[in-house]
Amino acid sequence: MKQITLAHGSGGQAMQQLIGELFMRAFSNPLLDEQEDQARIPLHELTAQGDRLAFSTDSYVIDPLFFPGGDIGKLAVCGTANDVAVSGAIPRWLSCGFILEEGLEMATLERIVTSMANAAAAAGITIVTGDTKVVPRGAADKVFINTAGIGSVPEGVNWGMRQIHAGDVLLVSGTLGDHGATILNLREGLGLEGDLQSDCAVLTPLIQALRGEPGIKALRDATRGGVNAVAHEFAASSGCGIEIQEGSLPVKPAVRGACELLGLDPLNFANEGKLAIVVERQAAERVLALLRAHPLGRNAAIIGEVVEHKGVRLTGLYGVKRTLNLPHSEPLPRIC
Amino acid sequence: MKQITLAHGSGGQAMQQLIGELFMRAFSNPLLDEQEDQARIPLHELTAQGDRLAFSTDSYVIDPLFFPGGDIGKLAVCGTANDVAVSGAIPRWLSCGFILEEGLEMATLERIVTSMANAAAAAGITIVTGDTKVVPRGAADKVFINTAGIGSVPEGVNWGMRQIHAGDVLLVSGTLGDHGATILNLREGLGLEGDLQSDCAVLTPLIQALRGEPGIKALRDATRGGVNAVAHEFAASSGCGIEIQEGSLPVKPAVRGACELLGLDPLNFANEGKLAIVVERQAAERVLALLRAHPLGRNAAIIGEVVEHKGVRLTGLYGVKRTLNLPHSEPLPRIC
């Protein structure tokens, strides 16, 4: 079976061949095909869509590489695209850096690259520049991917945590914890059955449906650390508090089962295709309806509100309010 | 001694603390300080400097992390800045993704981050967005860094390999192989003395000195694979050949010594602060003088020419011409 060797990262013939036969073929587009050391994107394409460049990056180290609902390649496109998209921008261009372990099966890399290419094409994203490094066996675990993404934020769209005020309402765009529970089940061999599948998706279409909408304050995709981590960021940055209604949280039965089994909270579980959104109170029902009208948001729910009193609290099913701390760490390393 | 733990990459409190106390402090600037999931860069700052966005990425996996002349942090700034700068753009903004191994000494990370911050500040670059992942002990080797960089290419500057024609001349901006020989000496414990130091540097000032100059065809920073790899790319992309004069190559005595000892060719050695430049023949002497007038280019030399006959050839000291193949791989993995 063909494997990655140190030569594939050395700047010599083997690397040229890998780039030419795998990456250039899978990702082909006019900007990438120039094969210069940098992509050159006409600025009028950016200024036509907005007045600020949104620029974000994430590295992906997920274990296992393949999981129900996705793989590291799809995740590397969706995750960074979403970090750009939550600004209101349409993510358009990605860079892509691979760190490969010597001995990685070429077939595995091909599968990942094909998945990246498919996810990017489906989202109207082009991968315009990249880099490949190979480290000796044992110096990395199979494959790590970094992507950086760019797009333009439309004039007048100023979503951000500093817009948040007491009285605002917190929504999520769908069921919580699907990604985290799926990876946990797979990694720990829990053997849970049922509808456990990562929600890994590019959220641009759902976010664009909200773009003209007044009353939207801040958007985040609730990845590592889950909705709880986002709620803490919202609270800290706005100087307010967040109160969440436990009974309002949309959670799939299979995910709820995994959480109950392990004594974990779906609020802390990673998502890869869910938004946490703060909106003005009078806009909440309208935004909820907009979200639910879209396939990516059909399980959207209003889950809480922004209050004066600092901190994040959860009101339980019996009305008891308790402080929701940000855990020291999430239960699972290498979740994304 | 304080170490990196899995919690530092988990999206919980420990990660917030690492970001707040180390990264935000070292890299602080108004765009980063917003702490949104993406930086938002006013597009007028880009359009004021050019008409195309230059966008590039590299991952850095160098071993050892610290070496004479630099470290992985400085390299992660210089390398990506140079990949942007060779388009003629001034690199202005960087993203930064860390992949850390559990158990990494916090002091080591601090030293790297400080070095990145210093290198960026010295080059007028701001680090505006980032990401941190931690993988379990043994799943990565200490620290890997990815950076992506952006800047604007000035209107009318169209440097690129497709401009290259037979009759053009090839220059380098200084001594060859300094970075590669330094890392080789350190890694293989060769114990070579003398002036072995990485040339790791941001080349923007040198490149900007060339910007108004007519007759410049293409620029590359000659990193992995050395000048030989760049010559092969120039030849392949232009459909021409490149002939290099061995006697014209600027090589420091200490580097030449290392090469002779090991039977290696400085043309294949990595550089981290050297340009390969193709210019029209009548511009060659003027460009050479410009390069030599700058501290980063004082050992610049004309080393060869572009010819009709495809391939890359080296004319030896006794006038014998031989084909210079692109090696299957460079001698050293993890050189950058």
Side-chain angles (χ1 to χ4, degrees), chain A residues 37 40 56 132 159 161 224, chain B residues 37 40 56 132 159 224:
Chain A
D37 275 349
R40 298 172 195 177
S56 192
T132 309
W159 299 337
M161 297 189 289
R224 262 185 302 180
Chain B
D37 275 350
R40 298 170 195 178
S56 190
T132 310
W159 299 339
R224 261 185 302 180

Side-chain angles (χ1 to χ4, degrees), chain A residues 9 13 35-41 51 53 55-56 58-59 83 131-133 159 161 220 224 326, chain B residues 9 13 35-41 53 55-56 58-59 83 131-133 159 161 220 224 326-327:
Chain A
Q13 268 184 40
Q35 295 209 55
E36 294 290 347
D37 275 349
Q38 72 300 119
R40 298 172 195 177
I41 301 166
D51 60 353
L53 180 82
F55 181 33
S56 192
D58 258 334
S59 301
D83 281 341
D131 174 57
T132 309
K133 293 291 188 306
W159 299 337
M161 297 189 289
R220 280 290 171 106
R224 262 185 302 180
L326 185 59
Chain B
Q13 269 184 37
Q35 296 209 51
E36 294 290 346
D37 275 350
Q38 71 300 119
R40 298 170 195 178
I41 300 164
L53 180 82
F55 181 32
S56 190
D58 258 334
S59 301
D83 282 342
D131 174 57
T132 310
K133 294 291 187 307
W159 299 339
M161 296 190 289
R220 281 289 171 106
R224 261 185 302 180
L326 184 60

Side-chain angles (χ1 to χ4, degrees), chain A residues 6-7 9-16 33-44 46-47 50-59 61 83-84 86-87 93-97 99 128-136 138-141 144 146 148 150 152-153 158-162 220-221 224-225 229 233 326-330 333-334 336, chain B residues 6-7 9-16 33-44 46-47 50-59 61 83-84 86-87 93-97 99 128-136 138-141 144 146 148 150 152-153 158-162 220-221 224-225 229 233 326-330 333-334 336:
Chain A
L6 288 172
S10 73
Q13 268 184 40
M15 187 169 101
Q16 292 306 325
D33 297 350
E34 289 287 324
Q35 295 209 55
E36 294 290 347
D37 275 349
Q38 72 300 119
R40 298 172 195 177
I41 301 166
L43 274 166
H44 65 78
L46 281 155
T47 51
D51 60 353
R52 285 147 296 156
L53 180 82
F55 181 33
S56 192
T57 192
D58 258 334
S59 301
V61 299
D83 281 341
V84 170
V86 291
S87 69
W93 297 280
L94 279 190
S95 68
C96 171
I99 298 174
V128 292
T129 189
D131 174 57
T132 309
K133 293 291 188 306
V134 181
V135 296
D141 187 14
F144 301 147
N146 176 284
I150 54 181
S152 305
V153 187
N158 288 300
W159 299 337
M161 297 189 289
R162 295 185 186 184
R220 280 290 171 106
D221 56 328
R224 262 185 302 180
E233 280 193 69
L326 185 59
H328 182 67
S329 70
E330 232 220 340
R334 300 185 65 185
C336 57
Chain B
L6 288 172
S10 73
Q13 269 184 37
M15 188 170 100
Q16 293 307 326
D33 297 349
E34 289 288 323
Q35 296 209 51
E36 294 290 346
D37 275 350
Q38 71 300 119
R40 298 170 195 178
I41 300 164
L43 274 166
H44 66 78
L46 282 155
T47 51
D51 60 353
R52 284 147 296 155
L53 180 82
F55 181 32
S56 190
T57 192
D58 258 334
S59 301
V61 299
D83 282 342
V84 170
V86 292
S87 69
W93 298 280
L94 279 190
S95 68
C96 170
I99 298 174
V128 292
T129 188
D131 174 57
T132 310
K133 294 291 187 307
V134 180
V135 297
D141 186 14
F144 301 148
N146 176 284
I150 53 181
S152 306
V153 186
N158 288 300
W159 299 339
M161 296 190 289
R162 295 184 187 185
R220 281 289 171 106
D221 56 328
R224 261 185 302 180
E233 281 193 70
L326 184 60
H328 182 67
S329 69
E330 231 219 341
R334 302 186 63 186
C336 58

Side-chain angles (χ1 to χ4, degrees), chain A residues 4-7 99-104 133-142, chain B residues 61-63 138-141 144 187 332-335:
Chain A
I4 290 292
T5 65
L6 288 172
I99 298 174
L100 308 176
E101 184 189 12
E102 179 190 14
L104 176 72
K133 293 291 188 306
V134 181
V135 296
R137 220 176 276 269
D141 187 14
K142 297 186 281 293
Chain B
V61 299
I62 192 166
D63 173 37
D141 186 14
F144 301 148
R187 274 259 291 283
L332 209 59
R334 302 186 63 186
I335 187 77

Side-chain angles (χ1 to χ4, degrees), chain A residues 233 236 326, chain B residues 2 4 7-9 11-29 32-35 98 100 106 109-110 113 130-132:
Chain A
E233 280 193 69
L326 185 59
Chain B
K2 230 180 128 189
I4 289 293
H8 286 116
Q13 269 184 37
M15 188 170 100
Q16 293 307 326
Q17 207 177 335
L18 178 69
I19 291 172
E21 293 180 7
L22 181 53
F23 301 129
M24 296 301 296
R25 234 179 247 187
F27 299 150
S28 178
N29 62 73
L32 183 67
D33 297 349
E34 289 288 323
Q35 296 209 51
F98 289 97
L100 308 175
M106 192 64 82
L109 182 60
E110 284 167 1
V113 166
D131 174 57
T132 310

Side-chain angles (χ1 to χ4, degrees), chain A residues 206-220:
Chain A
L206 182 64
I207 296 169
Q208 289 304 307
L210 302 176
R211 208 165 81 171
E213 220 33 47
I216 294 179
K217 301 297 197 77
L219 262 80
R220 280 290 171 106

Side-chain angles (χ1 to χ4, degrees), chain B residues 54-301:
Chain B
F55 181 32
S56 190
T57 192
D58 258 334
S59 301
Y60 300 86
V61 299
I62 192 166
D63 173 37
L65 297 175
F66 303 93
F67 46 85
D71 57 74
I72 190 171
K74 181 180 177 189
L75 198 61
V77 171
C78 296
T80 298
N82 290 340
D83 282 342
V84 170
V86 292
S87 69
I90 298 178
R92 292 278 307 277
W93 298 280
L94 279 190
S95 68
C96 170
F98 289 97
I99 298 174
L100 308 175
E101 184 188 12
E102 178 190 14
L104 176 72
E105 297 296 343
M106 192 64 82
T108 304
L109 182 60
E110 284 167 1
R111 204 175 141 198
I112 291 166
V113 166
T114 304
S115 173
M116 284 190 83
N118 291 342
I125 292 169
T126 49
I127 295 169
V128 292
T129 188
D131 174 57
T132 310
K133 294 291 187 307
V134 180
V135 297
R137 221 174 274 270
D141 186 14
K142 297 186 281 290
V143 49
F144 301 148
I145 303 175
N146 176 284
T147 48
I150 53 181
S152 306
V153 186
E155 213 174 323
V157 174
N158 288 300
W159 299 339
M161 296 190 289
R162 295 184 187 185
Q163 314 287 334
I164 297 172
H165 294 295
D168 292 341
V169 165
L170 177 64
L171 292 88
V172 292
S173 65
T175 54
L176 302 186
D178 296 23
H179 179 75
T182 303
I183 301 302
L184 189 65
N185 183 38
L186 209 59
R187 274 259 291 283
E188 305 303 317
L190 300 181
L192 295 174
E193 311 257 317
D195 189 17
L196 280 180
Q197 178 162 318
S198 170
D199 53 348
C200 183
V202 174
L203 294 172
T204 313
L206 183 64
I207 296 170
Q208 290 302 309
L210 302 177
R211 209 164 82 171
E213 220 34 45
I216 294 179
K217 302 295 198 79
L219 261 80
R220 281 289 171 106
D221 56 328
T223 55
R224 261 185 302 180
V227 167
N228 189 14
V230 176
H232 273 86
E233 281 193 70
F234 283 171
S237 190
S238 67
C240 301
I242 306 260
E243 293 189 355
I244 295 173
Q245 299 291 327
E246 192 168 12
S248 310
L249 300 177
V251 181
K252 283 185 183 168
V255 175
R256 196 176 291 285
C259 287
E260 284 176 1
L261 185 71
L262 298 159
L264 297 171
D265 193 324
L267 274 172
N268 293 325
F269 268 38
N271 311 277
E272 290 294 343
K274 296 296 155 48
L275 299 170
I277 312 172
V278 175
V279 303
E280 275 175 18
R281 188 171 296 270
Q282 62 267 35
E285 287 296 336
R286 210 175 54 238
V287 170
L288 181 65
L290 273 174
L291 290 170
R292 286 189 173 164
H294 196 282
L296 287 166
R298 61 173 178 270
N299 296 117

